Amino acid sequence: MKKLINNPDDVVTDALRGIAAAHGGALEVAIDPHYITRADAPVQGKVALVSGGGSGHEPMHGGFVGMGMLDAACPGEVFTSPTPDQMLEATKAVDGGAGVLHIVKNYTGDILNFEMAADLAREEDIEVEAVVIDDDVAVQDSLYTAGRRGVGTTVLAEKICGAAAEERRSLKEVADLCRRVNDGGKSMGMALTSCVVPSAGEPTFELGDDEMEIGIGIHGEPGRERVALEPAAQVVERLAAPILEDLSLSGGDSVLAFVNGMGGTPLIELYIVYSELVKLLGGRDIAIERNLIGPYITSLEMAGCSITLLKLDDELTSLWDAPVNTPGLRWGA
Amino acid sequence: MKKLINNPDDVVTDALRGIAAAHGGALEVAIDPHYITRADAPVQGKVALVSGGGSGHEPMHGGFVGMGMLDAACPGEVFTSPTPDQMLEATKAVDGGAGVLHIVKNYTGDILNFEMAADLAREEDIEVEAVVIDDDVAVQDSLYTAGRRGVGTTVLAEKICGAAAEERRSLKEVADLCRRVNDGGKSMGMALTSCVVPSAGEPTFELGDDEMEIGIGIHGEPGRERVALEPAAQVVERLAAPILEDLSLSGGDSVLAFVNGMGGTPLIELYIVYSELVKLLGGRDIAIERNLIGPYITSLEMAGCSITLLKLDDELTSLWDAPVNTPGLRWGA
């Protein structure tokens, strides 16, 4: 195992100490239990957004805490759900009186623990709604999931709902918006290599030198098929075609196109993937109105990429464009 | 070779098409010869900054073109110097009448070609100054370099000098500032794995499963020593101690600390490295006033990191904080 770590058991705590030191003015990092909040939380009168999940997907979610996106993130151990007490403490820390939205990726452990945390928070008179993101079109049911897995659309939902919360929309409105983003955003990923969970010390799965896995999950869950290496153009076709079909996208539609790196794939390759996606969508008269290209929801050092397409309308575009100021995503008005 | 590419010979052109499609409003991408400029270039009365070098280090340099940083970047083939005609065309495209600064990393091909381009531009009555970045303290002379290699300080110089140019400082002032950043910024890198240049199809160098290379260059040039794997704390000591010595940093000094990912190392590990760097500098009473953490000057999919420390004063800090709007680095006022 070749990693820049100290003790494998301390990976998450050590990284959180680094995040705390790096972003001290903007974020607060609690170590026991682990959670990250905006330094100015709670923001009175604003719906608070809380997300979380296993670590190893950075910058998601901790890197998306800040103005215009999340109020708190709960990092579990690597590829392991955070616990209800993390979620409860984070929820209490950021509630500004307007309620709290839990954005939950569809993994069984995350679902159960966020449900328990929501119940506990409600007992303390905090209004909580939860929206489950299940945007991965690759497979129905998976290693850790009943139904579809939650992947790239999570990043887009956190950004768009964060902007809506800044506008002081109500909890119901922000939750409905989050469901709408989940309905309109679909993803599929692929891997060229496996990855090593530090506490395991061994690759999560094995992949031959001439093979890739199409439809991979962000924890290395099996995809649709294992095929021989192909040029980027064919890889993009394999990922984008099922998304287009699922979303029933057709000529004249507008999308946000998100090309995500899995952690070990350099940016130069992601731009090649994006170039092929532009060709493919252009050939179907689908307009890419916005884009996001880079490693935003990763799987440790896995090489590979995912594509997410979100069908846009004026409201979603305007919320996407709204200012955001987090370590992982930042732009002005 | 496992890469998300089409034909290995088309990697740079394909990626540039992706960059053009993704950042069409902000950047212009010329394909023959290859160069990237700000869409609003030339900016009249402003010193223009041009950099360039081999591709495979993204987001550097093309991702740093925009307001507050570079006016143009010239990408060569992967790990290969751009040609004088690229540099000349880019220089002509961005000259706004106040002269052009070439920021050149110390590799023999880059130096020769930028010198030739500067001569040709001067024949066309464009005032050109060049500053060579040679900040890598690992080794004296290297595979492609006489003297020290140019690495991480390049990113900091492009940001700081870009801010100075936006203030309409003169060419001489911006060039002097760039030399001052180079004098005050030093770096050292390490690799856990090698990388594969697409046209070669084989790893640039070989590293054993239990080995790392300390003092690696960004093209895989040999470093100081090859040693057994160690915890992050020891790796940071190996990288930071020579920098501290070279810069003669002592208690009470302030620095910008830049922890850079080589391309294949995930963000969670970079934060662990940063956490160790905070401990090490804290123990010597050196204050980290600013930081930058992420993959900004990469070596394809190489796993590893580099540390750059830049000694700060009020002027450099203020220029670092100035607004910047590029695909790779972006923040507001």
Side-chain angles (χ1 to χ4, degrees), chain B residues 116-137:
Chain B
M116 193 177 301
D119 287 343
L120 293 168
R122 288 182 193 116
E123 285 175 18
E124 302 196 28
D125 291 329
I126 299 173
E127 196 182 1
V128 178
E129 277 226 46
V131 175
V132 174
I133 305 292
D134 58 351
D135 62 313
D136 187 338
V137 303

Side-chain angles (χ1 to χ4, degrees), chain B residues 57-127:
Chain B
H57 307 300
E58 290 70 24
M60 188 188 78
H61 299 274
F64 299 143
V65 175
M67 191 282 293
M69 216 161 164
L70 296 178
D71 293 80
C74 307
E77 289 302 305
V78 173
F79 290 3
T80 302
S81 173
T83 55
D85 67 313
Q86 292 176 254
M87 300 160 179
L88 176 64
E89 292 305 319
T91 299
K92 288 161 65 176
V94 300
D95 174 43
V100 179
L101 177 65
H102 288 173
I103 299 180
V104 187
K105 301 193 302 301
N106 191 29
Y107 302 99
T108 305
D110 291 14
I111 299 271
L112 289 173
N113 290 347
F114 265 110
E115 279 177 358
M116 193 177 301
D119 287 343
L120 293 168
R122 288 182 193 116
E123 285 175 18
E124 302 196 28
D125 291 329
I126 299 173
E127 196 182 1

Side-chain angles (χ1 to χ4, degrees), chain A residues 2-6 18 22-23 58 192 208-209 211 231-233 266 268-269 271 274 276 291 293 300 330-331, chain B residues 2-6 18 22-23 58 192 208-209 211 231-233 266 268-269 271 274 276 291 293 300 330-331:
Chain A
K2 287 193 144 182
K3 289 182 185 289
L4 291 166
I5 63 173
N6 294 306
H23 308 294
E58 291 69 25
L192 290 168
D209 283 348
E211 284 181 325
I268 192 171
E269 296 181 29
Y271 275 108
Y274 183 72
E276 294 301 332
N291 65 72
I293 301 162
L300 296 167
R330 180 148 65 166
W331 55 73
Chain B
K2 287 192 147 182
K3 288 181 186 290
L4 291 166
I5 62 173
N6 294 305
H23 308 293
E58 290 70 24
L192 290 168
D209 282 348
E211 286 180 324
I268 192 170
E269 296 181 29
Y271 275 108
Y274 183 73
E276 294 301 331
N291 64 72
I293 301 162
L300 296 167
R330 181 149 61 167
W331 55 74

